[in-house]
Amino acid sequence: MMALVLIRKKLFIRLLGVLAVASSVSLFTWTLTQKRVDADEERLRKSLSMKGLRQDSSFVLRTADENRAVISETALRGNVHAIATATSPPSQTARQENVELSRSTLIQNARLAEIKTSIQRLIIVGQARTGSSFLGDAFNQHPDVFYLFEPLHGVAPPKLPNDPRPMKFLEGMLRCKFEIPQYVQEIEKFRRISSKALSSPPLCAAKNQNQNKKSQCVHLNPHNMESVCKNYSKTVLKILTARIPSFRVDSLFPLCNSSDCGMIYLVRDPRSLVFSHMKVGFAWGSRRTYTASPQPIVRQYSKTICQQVEENVRIFENRPSWIKSRSYMLRYEDLARNPVKILRKVYKMTGLDMQNSSLDWIRAHTGEGASNEKEEKNEFSTNRNSKVVVDKWRFDMDPCIVNIIEESCQSLMRLLGYRPVNRSDKTQYDLAVSLSDG
C-alpha cells in the first residue's frame, strides 16, 4: 500500500514538472511573438512616417519651384516689355521714350514679389523733387503709419556734416526713441502738420476749420513723441539725400540693418529733375536770383546733381545682400503714370492694405481735378495731375537748356535708361503730334 502511494506521489511530482516546463515554453513563445509584433508595428510606423515625410518634402519642393516660377515669369514679363518697347517703332513709343526700363529697374516687379511683408520701419530717400513728398504723404494717409516729414531738416548736414548726432537721432526715431530735445523742437518747427500722427489727438485737438491747427497742439517733447509713435505699427521717414552724410545713400544702410526695416530710393529723369529745381530756385541758390544767360549755371548745376545721383544709383545697385530683399529703386515716372498700381505695391511691401480712404486720397491728388490755379502756382504742393507733370518739361523748357542737361547728364541717363530727345528744337512739336496720334 505504501509503495502505491509513493508511486502516485512521484507521478504527481513529474506531472507538475511537465506542466511547469510547458508553461515556461508557452510564456517564452508568447513573449517572442509579441516582440515580433511590436517590431513589425514599429517598422510600419516608420515606413508611414517616411512616406509622409517624402510627401511633405515633395510638397515643399514643389511649392518652392512654383514660387520661383512665378518670380521668374514676373521678371521675364518685365524684360519682354522692355525689349518690345525698345524694338517697337519710334512713333509708338514717343510718349514713353523717357521712361524705358533701366538696368536697375528691369526686375523691379520680380523683386517686389520677393520683398518680405514684415517691414515695420521704412526709409524713403531721394533728391528733392523726385516725388518723395507725395510718396511719403501717401503713407501718411494710412491709420497704421507714424510718418515724419524730413526729420533732419534744420539739424544737419549740411550745417554740420561731421556731427554724428543727427544719424544717431535718426536711428533712434526708427525705434520710437527721440532722445535729443533740441532736435525734437526742429521737428515741431518744420512742417509738423505734415504728419497726421503729430497733428491729431492726443497731441492735437480734433480738427476745427475755424481754428488754427497748430495752436490746438501741445508742444512736442521726447516723451510724448515716443508715446504716440508706439501706438502705430509702422514708422515711415521721408529724407532727402541733401541732408545725409556726403549725400550718399549707403550712410543710411547701417540704420536699416534689422530684418524689419526697408528702404525706397527715388530717381527721376535728369531733364525733368533739373527743370523742377530751376522752377523752385534750387539751381540759382535763390528763387529771386536772375541771370540773363543761365546756361553756365545750368551746366554746372546739372553736372553736380547728376554726379550725385549717379553715385547713389551705383551704390544702390550694389547694395549689400542683406538689404536687397527689402529695398528697391523707384522711378518718379512710374509712380506718376501709375500711382494707384505702384502705391499698392509699396503698401504691400510694408504689409499694409490699400484702404478706401487712401485710395480716394491718391486719386484726388493725382487725377485730372487734382490741382487748381492756386495749387499750380505752389511748386511744393503734392496735388498734381501726375500724368501731365511727367512730360511738362518737354513743353516748358528751352530746347537749349534740354541740350545742356542731356550733355551734362548723359552717363546717368544711360544708366537709368532715359533716351535723349532727337532734335530738341522740335521736342514740343513731336510730342504734340504723338499725343494727337494716340
Side-chain angles (χ1 to χ4, degrees):
M1 187 68 179
M2 289 297 294
L4 183 61
V5 171
L6 290 174
I7 292 171
R8 287 180 175 176
K9 285 183 177 180
K10 289 180 180 180
L11 290 173
F12 182 73
I13 291 171
R14 289 178 180 177
L15 179 61
L16 288 176
V18 171
L19 290 174
V21 171
S23 176
S24 298
V25 171
S26 298
L27 179 60
F28 174 79
T29 303
W30 181 87
T31 302
L32 184 61
T33 303
Q34 187 63 37
K35 286 183 177 180
R36 288 178 178 175
V37 170
D38 291 341
D40 290 340
E41 289 180 351
E42 183 65 19
R43 282 195 296 271
L44 179 61
R45 281 195 296 269
K46 288 183 178 180
S47 176
L48 292 174
S49 298
M50 289 301 296
K51 182 179 180 181
L53 181 60
R54 285 193 296 270
Q55 290 176 343
D56 290 343
S57 177
S58 175
F59 171 77
V60 170
L61 291 174
R62 187 166 61 252
T63 303
D65 288 339
E66 291 172 355
N67 289 339
R68 282 194 293 269
V70 170
I71 293 172
S72 299
E73 182 183 359
T74 307
L76 180 60
R77 287 176 180 173
N79 288 328
V80 169
H81 173 75
I83 294 171
T85 302
T87 57
S88 57
S91 60
Q92 297 179 13
T93 61
R95 284 176 293 176
Q96 297 181 352
E97 65 180 8
N98 67 319
V99 289
E100 292 177 72
L101 293 175
S102 65
R103 290 192 295 111
S104 59
T105 56
L106 275 174
I107 57 173
Q108 176 175 305
N109 288 338
R111 286 180 178 172
L112 279 173
E114 295 177 294
I115 287 177
K116 292 177 171 53
T117 57
S118 61
I119 293 176
Q120 295 179 352
R121 299 184 280 270
L122 180 68
I123 298 176
I124 299 171
V125 60
Q127 283 279 346
R129 317 302 292 177
T130 56
S132 59
S133 294
F134 170 75
L135 182 59
D137 213 5
F139 276 100
N140 190 34
Q141 306 309 309
H142 200 286
D144 295 336
V145 172
F146 178 82
Y147 172 66
L148 290 179
F149 179 92
E150 296 186 26
L152 292 183
H153 184 275
V155 176
K159 287 185 177 180
L160 300 171
N162 298 319
D163 188 350
R165 292 179 301 169
M167 299 309 290
K168 289 183 178 179
F169 182 61
L170 194 62
E171 182 181 12
M173 287 186 226
L174 294 172
R175 297 179 287 107
C176 289
K177 297 291 184 181
F178 305 86
E179 298 172 346
I180 306 179
Q182 59 266 39
Y183 289 177
V184 171
Q185 295 309 308
E186 292 294 337
I187 292 176
E188 178 165 22
K189 289 190 294 184
F190 183 69
R191 294 185 62 169
R192 168 184 176 172
I193 60 175
S194 294
S195 167
K196 282 193 170 185
L198 300 183
S199 56
S200 304
L203 293 177
C204 298
K207 186 175 181 180
N208 187 336
Q209 295 181 353
N210 297 324
Q211 294 176 324
N212 183 287
K213 179 68 176 178
K214 200 170 182 178
S215 66
Q216 301 300 309
C217 300
V218 299
H219 290 294
L220 298 179
N221 60 58
H223 176 73
N224 59 24
M225 284 196 71
E226 177 180 346
S227 178
V228 169
C229 178
K230 289 182 176 179
N231 288 330
Y232 295 83
S233 61
K234 312 288 182 182
T235 297
V236 178
L237 309 180
K238 178 255 185 179
I239 304 169
L240 297 181
T241 53
R243 298 194 175 107
I244 59 179
S246 302
F247 315 116
R248 290 168 56 102
V249 292
D250 54 351
S251 65
L252 299 174
F253 291 168
L255 308 182
C256 210
N257 58 5
S258 60
S259 60
D260 63 351
C261 180
M263 185 179 297
I264 296 176
Y265 177 56
L266 284 152
V267 294
R268 186 177 183 178
D269 184 328
R271 294 160 296 193
S272 181
L273 177 65
V274 173
F275 180 56
S276 184
H277 283 197
M278 291 168 60
K279 289 196 294 182
V280 298
F282 292 169
W284 321 123
S286 170
R287 298 191 69 177
R288 297 179 181 179
T289 301
Y290 172 78
T291 175
S293 179
Q295 287 88 340
I297 296 176
V298 173
R299 188 181 305 278
Q300 182 58 44
Y301 186 80
S302 301
K303 184 177 180 180
T304 301
I305 288 297
C306 288
Q307 284 178 345
Q308 289 180 9
V309 175
E310 182 175 352
E311 182 181 28
N312 278 325
V313 169
R314 295 190 185 280
I315 289 172
F316 206 79
E317 283 187 329
N318 297 292
R319 62 197 183 278
S321 57
W322 53 264
I323 198 175
K324 278 188 176 180
S325 63
R326 41 196 165 87
S327 61
Y328 79 105
M329 186 161 53
L330 175 62
R331 293 156 52 100
Y332 170 87
E333 290 77 18
D334 297 330
L335 177 62
R337 283 196 166 91
N338 300 288
V340 174
K341 179 181 178 181
I342 295 298
L343 289 172
R344 282 187 188 277
K345 289 181 178 179
V346 295
Y347 266 34
K348 185 178 180 180
M349 172 182 175
T350 51
L352 295 171
D353 295 325
M354 178 67 76
Q355 300 190 343
N356 289 334
S357 57
S358 298
L359 192 60
D360 292 341
W361 180 91
I362 293 167
R363 288 171 174 164
H365 281 66
T366 61
E368 293 182 1
S371 61
N372 50 37
E373 184 176 352
K374 181 179 179 181
E375 295 287 353
E376 288 293 336
K377 292 180 179 179
N378 181 8
E379 297 293 345
F380 296 95
S381 172
T382 57
N383 287 28
R384 289 285 186 272
N385 184 337
S386 57
K387 293 182 180 180
V388 171
V389 172
V390 169
D391 289 312
K392 193 171 177 60
W393 65 271
R394 296 177 179 272
F395 295 97
D396 296 352
M397 190 157 50
D398 187 328
C400 293
I401 300 297
V402 174
N403 285 333
I404 290 173
I405 298 173
E406 289 184 349
E407 181 182 345
S408 303
C409 302
Q410 55 182 321
S411 178
L412 175 61
M413 290 178 63
R414 282 196 303 269
L415 181 63
L416 293 177
Y418 296 105
R419 292 193 304 179
V421 295
N422 296 320
R423 297 178 62 83
S424 295
D425 55 325
K426 293 186 178 181
T427 298
Q428 298 180 24
Y429 171 77
D430 292 340
L431 182 61
V433 171
S434 68
L435 289 175
S436 63
D437 290 343

